[in-house]
Amino acid sequence: MYRSNTCGDLRASHINKEVVLSGWVHKVRDKGFVIWIDLRDRYGITQLVLDQDRTAMALLEQAKELGRETVIQVKGKVIERTSKNPNIPTGDIEVLVTELQILNESILPPFTIEDDTDGGEDIRMKYRYLDIRRNPVKNNLMFRHKVTMEVRKYLSDQEFIEVETPYLIKSTPEGARDFVVPSRMNEGQFYALPQSPQTFKQLLMVGGMDKYFQIVKCFRDEDLRADRQPEFTQIDCEMAFVEQEDILNAFEGLTKHLLKEIHGIDSQDFPRITYDDAMRLYGNDKPDIRFGMEFGELNAVAQHKDFNVFNSAELVVGISVPGGASYTRKEIDRLIDWVRRPQVGAKGMVYVKCNEDGTYKSSVDKFYGQEDLAKWAEVTKAKAGDLICVLSGNTNETRAQLSALRMELAERLDLRKPDDFAPLWVVDFPLLELDEETGTYHAMHHPFTSPKPGQMELLETSPGEVKANAYDLVLNGNEIGGGSIRIHDKDIQATMFKHLGFTPEEAKAQFGFLMDAFQYGAPPHGGIAFGLDRLVSILGGQETIRDFIAFPKNNSGRDVMIDAPAPIDDEQLKELHLRLDI
Ligand code: ASP
């Protein structure tokens, strides 16, 4: 028997008990006549003690030699500590060691296995198995387990069935590139790894499964933006015989359950906002509503004066920054420099200080009087003491720029509190999105999303205006889930493919199986998928998803621990028909 207890178990109630513990040597404190060893495992740390009076000399000598991270097994008696440590659950006791056996030595780890480690990100990723021994990483993985267990519990209680769908499939279009896998047995042919189980979950609905979920890996070969992983996990869900309202209710229920079980929060019903309103009020389809600073559109009150920059702009829009009137000239200049950075891309910024005495001081006083500026303050809901920041230009770009500024200022003003949770639904997404470069439309969500009832006709005349039965769940400025009501009619699906630029042959070749299935009594259905990695990190009060993944990839998509991706040898290439010249 390796152990009678774990290193997190023992309390004062165990005093005088003979125990066997196994674990890693976390730390050795050698005072000569007495040695303390912190023994660590997943469950905690227990202090071991050996001393001249009570321990055999040979054992004491052996203990002195123990290096950090050696794996040992000890036998001993639980005794009361003279100086207790209230900071750890086992702090009232220690184990007086009578036998010690080394189970495995450890060479010197490349960084210290402590909560605050001296190891940088790269070295920790290379030795991730050592990093996982550290509390912050270990706790995140345990937290993730807790969240996934709650998800499984809640959904199975609601009669969802977890069904596994294949990983070696044909392309599912979610807007990214596929990872492909060559087929040895079918020369020149390739599987694609699923970007999501989208088509399979729809086929499960045709199969009558009615309520499906799966905690599932998805693969997208994208240029890695910060904090994206080429493989990531979704809580993927689908339901039959549902309208949008049913889906929103079901998954608002799941999210409320998680907030309650994880954080003890009783949530109100989640607010809903249309995509158009989200763009108008926050310049963003995933607004962080933990704080206000909503956009005020100023065209009506700022145009048709002598200020040409505004007159020629499609949109003039501002936000009020709480307390910003006290910013110095230099601070405001720095803010202007910030919006002019290429990453943000604004040409400049107009500002208005709303002085405590009710007067206004702006960077455009030459063109606007106090009465004009009072109207700006009204529209942006600025109070005395606030600063109004105004950007102008092309609508989409200006909104994106002001949204970036809003988030930056909220960060600086400490308004994005990690333990505050502000979920909301964004609904009525456009069905199609214009690709500015090619001038063609593609599905904003995916090609299986159904247009809102009665909008199919609009597809011919003004495709950009068609709204979809598509929705996102947003939490603290992050999209944590997204889904839609699907098309379940073969002809409508065929029409949709046509509008997306597929020839009938292409549509048949790629998605014939789905349209065929629709001919056999496909029920109305819809669903949603949550990004589990992000959901867990937000619930955990942190921003980086890497910290909640056991073995993440770095920003170049590499696993630096196992050193993947890696070349394969010529023999393998040949077998896979990838090299024909050997
Ligand atoms: N398959 C979609 C996605 O991965 C989610 C859904 O529509 O259910 O975003």
Side-chain angles (χ1 to χ4, degrees):
M1 184 181 66
Y2 279 112
R3 54 187 175 184
S4 62
N5 295 83
T6 70
C7 297
D9 265 354
L10 302 173
R11 306 283 185 272
S13 59
H14 296 93
I15 285 168
N16 287 328
K17 194 177 169 223
E18 295 288 340
V19 294
V20 184
L21 300 180
S22 291
W24 286 264
V25 172
H26 187 66
K27 216 184 266 169
V28 179
R29 267 165 302 140
D30 180 2
K31 295 271 176 213
F33 55 95
V34 49
I35 297 173
W36 287 284
I37 300 169
D38 281 349
L39 189 66
R40 187 195 71 236
D41 66 9
R42 197 189 99 190
Y43 306 91
I45 285 184
T46 296
Q47 178 166 294
L48 311 177
V49 61
L50 304 93
D51 67 25
Q52 268 174 354
D53 299 338
R54 295 175 289 180
T55 314
M57 202 55 194
L59 189 54
L60 205 61
E61 289 307 322
Q62 190 191 10
K64 285 188 189 202
E65 299 303 315
L66 289 173
R68 276 183 172 234
E69 302 307 312
T70 305
V71 186
I72 60 169
Q73 180 192 37
V74 293
K75 275 192 188 154
K77 192 160 95 175
V78 182
I79 58 174
E80 186 174 2
R81 272 208 220 180
T82 30
S83 66
K84 304 200 168 31
N85 179 354
N87 298 323
I88 59 171
T90 60
D92 286 348
I93 56 94
E94 57 194 356
V95 172
L96 181 65
V97 176
T98 52
E99 282 177 42
L100 186 158
Q101 202 188 334
I102 293 178
L103 300 178
N104 211 344
E105 302 276 0
S106 169
I107 59 169
L108 188 69
F111 53 87
T112 50
I113 316 288
E114 296 279 0
D115 292 4
D116 283 320
T117 179
D118 52 356
E121 171 99 5
D122 291 349
I123 194 93
R124 287 193 291 111
M125 287 302 162
K126 180 144 195 250
Y127 298 91
R128 185 66 163 174
Y129 47 88
L130 296 179
D131 204 21
I132 291 173
R133 290 185 191 169
R134 297 170 52 242
N135 281 320
V137 183
K138 178 193 81 185
N139 290 341
N140 283 353
L141 294 182
M142 288 173 37
F143 182 77
R144 182 183 178 115
H145 167 74
K146 184 169 180 203
V147 175
T148 54
M149 287 309 284
E150 287 301 334
V151 169
R152 289 207 158 94
K153 204 160 86 193
Y154 182 85
L155 291 177
S156 10
D157 282 351
Q158 305 289 320
E159 299 200 65
F160 283 80
I161 308 284
E162 183 159 20
V163 183
E164 287 170 81
T165 53
Y167 282 154
L168 295 175
I169 65 164
K170 218 153 86 166
S171 177
T172 297
E174 297 279 1
R177 256 184 228 103
D178 289 322
F179 281 103
V180 295
V181 180
S183 165
R184 181 182 54 80
M185 290 195 288
N186 302 275
E187 183 171 348
Q189 299 193 346
F190 296 80
Y191 300 100
L193 298 180
Q195 294 185 35
S196 84
Q198 184 61 36
T199 47
F200 284 94
K201 65 174 173 176
Q202 292 192 238
L203 292 171
L204 286 171
M205 295 304 108
V206 181
M209 287 309 287
D210 197 77
K211 284 173 153 186
Y212 141 94
F213 86 103
Q214 182 181 194
I215 296 188
V216 60
K217 272 289 172 74
C218 301
F219 306 85
R220 296 185 189 175
D221 187 5
E222 289 176 294
D223 294 335
L224 293 177
R225 279 179 266 151
D227 213 29
R228 285 260 179 142
Q229 290 280 313
E231 58 176 297
F232 60 98
T233 307
Q234 283 189 343
I235 309 166
D236 189 47
C237 311
E238 196 78 4
M239 300 168 84
F241 302 112
V242 283
E243 294 175 336
Q244 171 165 311
E245 193 61 29
D246 301 304
I247 304 265
L248 299 194
N249 287 334
F251 294 97
E252 185 161 323
L254 170 65
T255 313
K256 283 179 177 170
H257 174 80
L258 294 177
L259 287 169
K260 177 73 185 168
E261 292 304 315
I262 308 290
H263 288 297
I265 295 171
D266 288 303
S267 314
Q268 306 285 317
D269 287 346
F270 298 175
R272 295 180 189 181
I273 185 173
T274 63
Y275 171 88
D276 286 346
D277 282 347
M279 297 309 287
R280 189 172 53 79
L281 291 172
Y282 303 99
N284 196 315
D285 61 3
K286 40 180 193 303
D288 190 341
I289 54 163
R290 281 174 294 182
F291 55 96
M293 290 169 76
E294 290 174 1
F295 289 13
E297 295 193 349
L298 298 167
N299 292 43
V301 290
Q303 286 182 324
H304 313 301
K305 307 277 164 172
D306 289 337
F307 189 47
N308 271 335
V309 177
F310 282 0
N311 288 344
S312 59
E314 194 182 353
L315 179 70
V316 183
V317 58
I319 47 172
S320 92
V321 187
S326 61
Y327 291 3
T328 60
R329 183 61 213 247
K330 228 184 177 166
E331 282 171 314
I332 294 177
D333 281 347
R334 259 190 264 135
L335 218 48
I336 296 175
D337 288 342
W338 191 89
V339 296
R340 293 174 66 179
R341 292 168 351 138
Q343 299 93 312
V344 182
K347 290 209 185 60
M349 183 184 94
V350 166
Y351 67 87
V352 185
K353 282 183 168 189
C354 306
N355 297 324
E356 296 291 354
D357 64 6
T359 62
Y360 300 95
K361 175 87 196 89
S362 83
S363 55
V364 282
D365 279 349
K366 230 166 72 189
F367 305 103
Y368 299 96
Q370 293 289 308
E371 252 171 50
D372 294 318
L373 299 177
K375 284 190 199 138
W376 297 20
E378 197 184 311
V379 175
T380 57
K381 302 200 183 85
K383 296 186 302 296
D386 293 350
L387 176 78
I388 308 173
C389 299
V390 184
L391 301 183
S392 62
N394 157 300
T395 300
N396 291 342
E397 283 168 15
T398 308
R399 282 178 171 168
Q401 291 156 1
L402 194 63
S403 169
L405 179 64
R406 175 176 177 269
M407 295 300 267
E408 172 70 16
L409 287 166
E411 201 69 65
R412 291 187 195 180
L413 294 167
D414 208 15
L415 300 173
R416 303 191 67 197
K417 305 259 184 247
D419 46 1
D420 229 10
F421 294 97
L424 92 154
W425 289 106
V426 180
V427 297
D428 298 352
F429 271 80
L431 183 71
L432 304 171
E433 193 173 36
L434 184 66
D435 183 332
E436 310 259 348
E437 263 165 44
T438 61
T440 55
Y441 283 97
H442 58 83
M444 188 145 182
H445 190 43
H446 50 54
F448 315 110
T449 294
S450 89
K452 283 209 165 284
Q455 301 222 332
M456 203 61 196
E457 295 66 43
L458 266 183
L459 269 179
E460 297 290 345
T461 48
S462 26
E465 315 240 303
V466 181
K467 292 286 190 275
N469 264 327
Y471 32 80
D472 275 357
L473 183 57
V474 173
L475 182 58
N476 296 358
N478 296 280
E479 178 203 327
I480 57 161
S484 60
I485 297 297
R486 326 295 184 192
I487 296 167
H488 63 279
D489 177 280
K490 177 179 187 275
D491 296 334
I492 299 183
Q493 188 64 70
T495 312
M496 186 58 65
F497 281 130
K498 190 187 87 192
H499 282 289
L500 294 171
F502 287 75
T503 64
E505 294 71 33
E506 284 166 344
K508 187 163 169 31
Q510 280 193 51
F511 301 108
F513 64 94
L514 187 69
M515 291 190 283
D516 285 348
F518 284 174
Q519 300 177 108
Y520 294 96
H525 60 284
I528 190 166
F530 290 78
L532 179 68
D533 310 284
R534 173 128 306 118
L535 175 64
V536 169
S537 73
I538 298 169
L539 288 174
Q542 293 174 35
E543 296 262 314
T544 6
I545 66 172
R546 260 205 303 273
D547 296 344
F548 289 84
I549 297 174
F551 298 105
K553 301 204 167 28
N554 73 7
N555 279 343
S556 335
R558 295 199 72 80
D559 182 323
V560 293
M561 183 181 65
I562 60 172
D563 199 18
I568 55 176
D569 61 36
D570 286 348
E571 213 26 63
Q572 256 178 312
L573 285 172
K574 191 175 159 195
E575 225 171 43
L576 294 169
H577 321 287
L578 294 175
R579 264 194 79 170
L580 305 173
D581 57 333
I582 47 174

